[in-house]
Amino acid sequence: MNFIKNNWFSEIQDELWPGQMFSLKIKEVLHKEKSKFQDIQIVETETYGTCLILDGIIQCTSRDEFSYQEMIGFLPLCCHPNPQKVLIVGGGDGGVAREVVKHPLVKEVHQVEIDERVVELSKKYLPSMACGFENSKLKLTIGDGFEYMKIHKEEFDVIITDSSDPIGPAVSLFQENYYKLMKNALKPGGIVCSQGGSFWLDFDYVKKTMDGCGKHFAKVAYAVTSVPSYPCGHIGFVIGSLDPNQNFSEPVTRFTKSQIDSLNLKYYTSEVHPAAFALPRWVEKHFYK
Ligand code: SAM
């Protein structure tokens, strides 16, 4: 399917989000290819900057990416008392790595991304995100996150899954047995945080992912952020902890406003953190009953 017509890109996904679409006016198609794993497009938009599109789905735009990258990184890191060793699964644009390496307690970051072409193209066209790959704390492996998880035991304090949506190569990263593998790859008290979809669009799917997580983790929650270029302008994270006393909405590491500024955080603050876990009543009743 050609998603670009008359200089407009339209995110038409009848399977995932039937009956709706988000469109962006395009200035230029910067790159287009089919990699071993997916269809990759990078476009320059009129109002959202540079945009990475995989299999016809917007992954990030340079205008609003920080609200996603900062939140998926800092929510779990600030819930963990000592997040020294972190694993990122997916995240081929480099934006999550850029955020995670900033956290003062993080010493080592491992990342496993399935598609090296996403990394290479992000370095060329999205340098403000791909700068995450240049940090000396980061070690990048090209491979499947699901397979990688099978061979790592009690190694990480925090695992962040920044995956594409549950079609194509990312399907396995939403399944219950992925949560089981992540549990085994974590040290005691470890925390996972995954791209979990939006309650507006994926209501039952989010609940199913939370239930899958809950079979292996003592505490599970769902947090939200707003990202205008994602469907409904909204996305959430499924977060799980092995610590039965975990209270996700109280960060154990807090930052003053001047620390927030020196970390160059634009969305995450110690006040935004608890607010992200506050859910509308109809959602709360469904997710936590
Ligand atoms: N923030 C984006 C979102 O929410 O849509 C995701 C961005 S990031 C580009 C997603 C990455 O996950 C892609 O680069 C994709 O190649 C990678 N990915 C998908 N399935 C994977 C798997 N099984 N193992 C590792 N990486 C995977």
Side-chain angles (χ1 to χ4, degrees):
M1 182 183 255
N2 181 9
F3 297 97
I4 298 179
K5 221 174 166 183
N6 299 330
N7 294 329
W8 281 85
F9 163 78
S10 292
E11 193 178 49
I12 303 168
Q13 291 292 325
D14 284 333
E15 203 185 311
L16 287 172
W17 311 302
Q20 70 168 70
M21 68 179 185
F22 177 71
S23 300
L24 284 172
K25 196 160 188 199
I26 303 299
K27 279 207 249 180
E28 192 186 351
V29 176
L30 299 171
H31 188 87
K32 195 171 165 28
E33 73 174 61
K34 224 175 182 30
S35 75
K36 247 186 340 184
F37 299 96
Q38 51 212 340
D39 186 78
I40 307 175
Q41 266 183 306
I42 300 177
V43 297
E44 195 57 36
T45 70
E46 275 209 8
T47 52
Y48 277 75
T50 315
C51 173
L52 170 67
I53 302 164
L54 298 179
D55 285 338
I57 300 177
I58 294 172
Q59 302 295 304
C60 48
T61 78
S62 50
R63 174 174 165 184
D64 61 5
E65 51 86 17
F66 61 91
S67 61
Y68 174 89
Q69 327 272 25
E70 290 182 17
M71 292 293 274
I72 198 173
F74 276 81
L75 288 175
L77 293 176
C78 291
C79 282
H80 194 288
N82 195 10
Q84 290 195 7
K85 190 167 175 180
V86 180
L87 173 65
I88 301 167
V89 177
D93 50 69
V96 174
R98 178 195 68 200
E99 296 306 320
V100 169
V101 296
K102 285 180 187 174
H103 193 287
L105 296 172
V106 170
K107 292 198 170 138
E108 222 179 293
V109 184
H110 294 254
Q111 178 162 356
V112 54
E113 159 63 52
I114 204 165
D115 195 340
E116 64 184 336
R117 287 300 291 150
V118 177
V119 176
E120 287 163 2
L121 291 166
S122 298
K123 285 183 179 169
K124 181 163 179 194
Y125 294 108
L126 299 164
S128 63
M129 290 177 234
C131 59
F133 294 123
E134 308 309 323
N135 194 284
S136 59
K137 289 182 188 176
L138 188 96
K139 182 177 182 304
L140 176 67
T141 301
I142 299 299
D144 183 338
F146 191 86
E147 296 305 316
Y148 182 95
M149 212 63 71
K150 289 181 184 166
I151 50 168
H152 291 267
K153 303 273 179 263
E154 283 211 20
E155 222 177 280
F156 304 104
D157 298 301
V158 172
I159 300 175
I160 296 168
T161 304
D162 175 26
S163 73
S164 25
D165 292 286
I167 51 169
V171 172
S172 59
L173 307 181
F174 288 79
Q175 290 166 354
E176 187 208 312
N177 50 355
Y178 179 63
Y179 281 88
K180 187 174 176 194
L181 291 175
M182 286 199 288
K183 177 187 176 178
N184 294 337
L186 283 173
K187 292 184 194 161
I191 293 181
V192 291
C193 184
S194 300
Q195 194 269 87
S198 160
F199 59 65
W200 285 113
L201 294 165
D202 316 301
F203 197 62
D204 292 329
Y205 205 86
V206 177
K207 169 77 173 137
K208 193 174 144 229
T209 312
M210 288 176 75
D211 288 347
C213 179
K215 289 203 175 130
H216 306 287
F217 286 78
K219 283 282 168 91
V220 181
Y222 176 78
V224 294
T225 189
S226 81
V227 185
S229 62
Y230 285 165
C232 289
H234 180 263
I235 198 151
F237 310 108
V238 172
I239 181 163
S241 173
L242 295 175
D243 176 0
N245 299 315
Q246 185 79 53
N247 182 355
F248 292 115
S249 48
E250 273 181 23
V252 287
T253 304
R254 296 187 66 89
F255 299 120
T256 62
K257 288 284 150 58
S258 83
Q259 285 172 315
I260 290 284
D261 291 341
S262 61
L263 291 169
N264 193 23
L265 290 168
K266 292 185 278 184
Y267 195 100
Y268 180 89
T269 67
S270 300
E271 291 73 38
V272 164
H273 181 122
F277 290 91
L279 296 177
R281 186 67 188 133
W282 62 279
V283 178
E284 185 182 58
K285 272 205 292 206
H286 185 66
F287 287 1
Y288 293 115
K289 73 172 178 249

